[in-house]
Amino acid sequence: MRRFGSAAAVFGGLLLAVAGVAPALAHEHPSGITDLVTPAVVRIEATAHVDITLLDHIGELVHVERSYEVPIGSGTGTVINPDGGMVTLTRVVENDRDVRVYAANKIFAEHHKVKIPADFERHKLKDDLLNHHLQECYPPKQPTATCIIDVTTEIKVFPNISPADKEGFKAEIVRAGDKPDSPAVLRPVGRADGSAGLPTAPLAAEVPTKEGSPVAIAGFTGRPAANLPETVDIAHLRAGGAGEGGRQFKDPENKVNEPEKLGALVDKGLLGGPVIEDKKGEIVGLLLGGGKDARVIGVREVTKALAEADVAPARGPIDAAFEQALTRFHTHYYGDAVPAFQRVLDLYPGHTVAAAHLKTSQAKRGTVEDKGTQRAAASTDAPGGAPLWPFLVGGGLLVLLVLAAAILLWRRRLSDPEPEPSLPADTLPPIPPPSVNPPPTQARSVFDEQVDSTIVVGRSFPALPKISSTSPGQPVLVARDPGSSTAPDPRPTETTVQKYCTGCGMRLGPAHSFCAYCGQPAKT
């Protein structure tokens, strides 16, 4: 089985290598990595609350009061700061339609029972008196106005949490763009979401310029609910700069009309939704368009709007914990991912993505899909997978033995006497010369050499003196005066004979029968 797994891994690596060197065979598909962004995606609904009072004085003076909720826009936004700073498009929270006209048409039609469309256009009536009162009701306010109108804008944000927040929380516009498709910056008001704040999404540095760069689109088609999670779809960017109109979309294989597909999603509620880069999962722009067209406004315009609104993009503690959990989850270490996702839910209980991944991790923990379990099994089955403690114990014993040996050697050196220091050669006492008359030794027979013989190796002896003879066949050792002439004296004189040992050359006395040095018998 292991050989089969290794072969499959090698085969898979070869397939990846072929795919890498042959990009012309197929275009790059999105990997669907959107987990870093979708927790920060929110639903935004902007509504104008209009309080209008109609002063009807055609007959008796009557004050007619009405209140209307007029939709301004709706779409998707993204939280980019733990404090709740959000980005979306301006036309999600503002429009050029005058809600006061809508309220005037509405109240006139209801009170005077006339047919006036409930829209934002100014209309005329056939009845001159009613028409005059209607025109006086339209803004701007005049001294003769027949209507008093008060408008307040309310922006509600519905976060991506579970269970769903049906009430949402209010937000205000910090900075709106000068065009409907310009980025707008919002911030929450009147609500605290705990010390950890809100989940945020990371912003990229720039929009990919490569033709066919894969991206993902995320957003809500309505208020988040258990049966209405976030919508995520894939797309591809065209090459080139974005320009004022935004970057266009195009399928490299022309199998899908991506502008039309994404335009329909814009109309359903993904207007202003994040466009997510495929590799790092960062936001590269916001979705705009509608109908049969869709484009993306670049992240540079987004960061510029944030700077003008003095709202800094930042990541919070929820995001740090979530990224650690995602790393374990996407690398298939499900056992390690369980406590990591639980930590995220402790910081932000409604985190939908963390809750979903936690459920998956718990189901796969300890199974064959869990790499943590595979690693533990491999370390147990491996030859070197024995417990570490025997090696530690053996190493400790070895250290103790070395220390004991060192202590014994040290004690032995302390017990041994110190050697006498050697003297220099010039300080050694001189060796006395051999005595002229050495102490007598016990005479021994020549035959005792085999019993107690002494062997002298490498001894140098003085040269033997000159041998003379007084009688034929009788050798005599004669000593001469060093100062005398070496020539023989022809005159017969009385000569003093000095005997020497014929073995070693030692001087012999007259009464010596043996050499006192080597024991050689003296010859007479």
Side-chain angles (χ1 to χ4, degrees):
M1 291 299 292
R2 291 184 179 178
R3 293 182 178 179
F4 177 76
S6 301
V10 173
F11 181 70
L14 291 176
L15 289 179
L16 291 176
V18 171
V21 299
L25 297 179
H27 72 278
E28 194 174 3
H29 289 279
S31 61
I33 300 177
T34 58
D35 289 342
L36 290 177
V37 177
T38 51
V41 175
V42 296
R43 167 78 174 181
I44 298 178
E45 296 180 358
T47 305
H49 183 76
V50 184
D51 293 324
I52 183 171
T53 300
L54 173 62
L55 304 176
D56 180 12
H57 51 82
I58 295 178
E60 293 183 359
L61 181 60
V62 179
H63 291 185
V64 182
E65 297 180 354
R66 295 286 191 274
S67 295
Y68 301 108
E69 299 289 335
V70 184
I72 295 176
S74 62
T76 299
T78 309
V79 181
I80 50 82
N81 188 289
D83 295 333
M86 294 163 280
V87 291
T88 186
L89 293 182
T90 299
R91 63 186 173 113
V92 173
V93 293
E94 283 188 355
N95 57 45
D96 55 357
R97 299 178 300 182
D98 195 337
V99 296
R100 295 174 297 176
V101 173
Y102 173 89
N105 292 333
K106 188 83 170 173
I107 196 171
F108 237 83
E110 292 175 355
H111 179 66
H112 293 287
K113 309 300 181 181
V114 292
K115 292 183 178 180
I116 302 176
D119 56 18
F120 300 89
E121 301 294 332
R122 296 174 183 263
H123 299 280
K124 292 184 178 181
L125 298 175
K126 295 180 179 179
D127 188 315
D128 294 337
L129 183 59
L130 288 179
N131 183 63
H132 175 73
H133 280 258
L134 176 61
Q135 302 306 317
E136 292 292 332
C137 185
Y138 287 140
K141 185 179 180 181
Q142 300 176 2
T144 59
T146 57
C147 292
I148 301 174
I149 305 174
D150 184 24
V151 180
T152 57
T153 301
E154 185 180 75
I155 300 175
K156 279 195 173 183
V157 179
F158 299 89
N160 186 11
I161 60 176
S162 179
D165 185 356
K166 297 181 180 180
E167 298 297 329
F169 60 90
K170 294 182 180 181
E172 62 182 1
I173 301 175
V174 181
R175 187 261 187 197
D178 54 355
K179 297 180 180 179
D181 289 331
S182 299
V185 182
L186 312 178
R187 65 184 174 194
V189 292
R191 169 170 171 168
D193 289 286
S195 59
L198 295 173
T200 69
L203 298 180
E206 59 183 1
V207 183
T209 58
K210 180 182 176 181
E211 178 74 22
S213 297
V215 293
I217 313 296
F220 285 99
T221 58
R223 292 184 180 182
N227 58 349
L228 187 60
E230 73 275 2
T231 298
V232 178
D233 209 332
I234 61 174
H236 301 82
L237 296 176
R238 299 197 67 170
E244 293 183 359
R247 181 81 64 85
Q248 295 180 338
F249 296 94
K250 183 181 179 182
D251 182 9
E253 295 183 350
N254 294 322
K255 293 182 178 180
V256 180
N257 187 343
E258 290 188 353
E260 183 175 350
K261 177 187 72 171
L262 298 178
L265 291 177
V266 169
D267 295 337
K268 292 180 179 179
L270 269 66
L271 178 66
V275 179
I276 308 166
E277 189 266 342
D278 183 62
K279 300 300 180 182
K280 297 181 180 179
E282 299 174 337
I283 296 177
V284 297
L286 303 180
L287 184 65
L288 57 92
K292 295 185 178 181
D293 184 33
R295 287 155 289 140
V296 55
I297 186 171
V299 68
R300 292 182 179 178
E301 287 77 8
V302 175
T303 54
K304 179 181 178 182
L306 289 171
E308 293 176 355
D310 196 21
V311 176
R315 304 281 280 164
I318 299 174
D319 309 308
F322 185 53
E323 287 184 12
Q324 294 178 2
L326 281 181
T327 301
R328 293 169 172 81
F329 180 80
H330 287 296
T331 53
H332 307 296
Y333 285 89
Y334 299 110
D336 298 335
V338 170
F341 284 125
Q342 288 175 340
R343 169 61 178 163
V344 177
L345 292 173
D346 290 339
L347 293 172
Y348 193 72
H351 204 293
T352 56
V353 182
H357 288 342
L358 174 61
K359 185 176 180 180
T360 303
S361 300
Q362 290 173 334
K364 295 185 178 182
R365 177 174 54 180
T367 64
V368 293
E369 298 183 58
D370 190 351
K371 286 189 176 180
T373 304
Q374 296 175 7
R375 180 180 58 186
S379 61
T380 304
D381 296 339
L388 188 59
W389 67 266
F391 299 97
L392 297 177
V393 173
L397 292 177
L398 181 61
V399 172
L400 292 177
L401 289 176
V402 172
L403 292 176
I407 293 174
L408 291 176
L409 181 61
W410 176 66
R411 295 184 62 181
R412 180 175 296 178
R413 287 184 177 179
L414 291 179
S415 62
D416 292 341
E418 295 185 359
E420 297 182 358
S422 59
L423 297 175
D426 55 354
T427 61
L428 294 176
I431 301 175
S435 175
V436 176
N437 296 317
T441 58
Q442 184 178 0
R444 59 182 180 176
S445 173
V446 178
F447 303 102
D448 294 339
E449 291 294 327
Q450 300 297 328
V451 179
D452 187 16
S453 61
T454 301
I455 300 175
V456 180
V457 180
R459 176 182 293 176
S460 61
F461 299 99
L464 295 176
K466 184 177 179 181
I467 301 175
S468 63
S469 176
T470 57
S471 62
Q474 182 66 34
V476 179
L477 300 178
V478 180
R480 294 183 180 275
D481 186 4
S484 64
S485 173
T486 58
D489 187 359
R491 293 178 297 178
T493 58
E494 183 178 357
T495 305
T496 302
V497 179
Q498 174 66 52
K499 295 189 294 185
Y500 292 85
C501 177
T502 59
C504 64
M506 177 64 71
R507 186 191 298 268
L508 300 176
H512 286 172
S513 299
F514 295 89
C515 176
Y517 188 78
C518 67
Q520 181 71 24
K523 293 184 179 181
T524 58

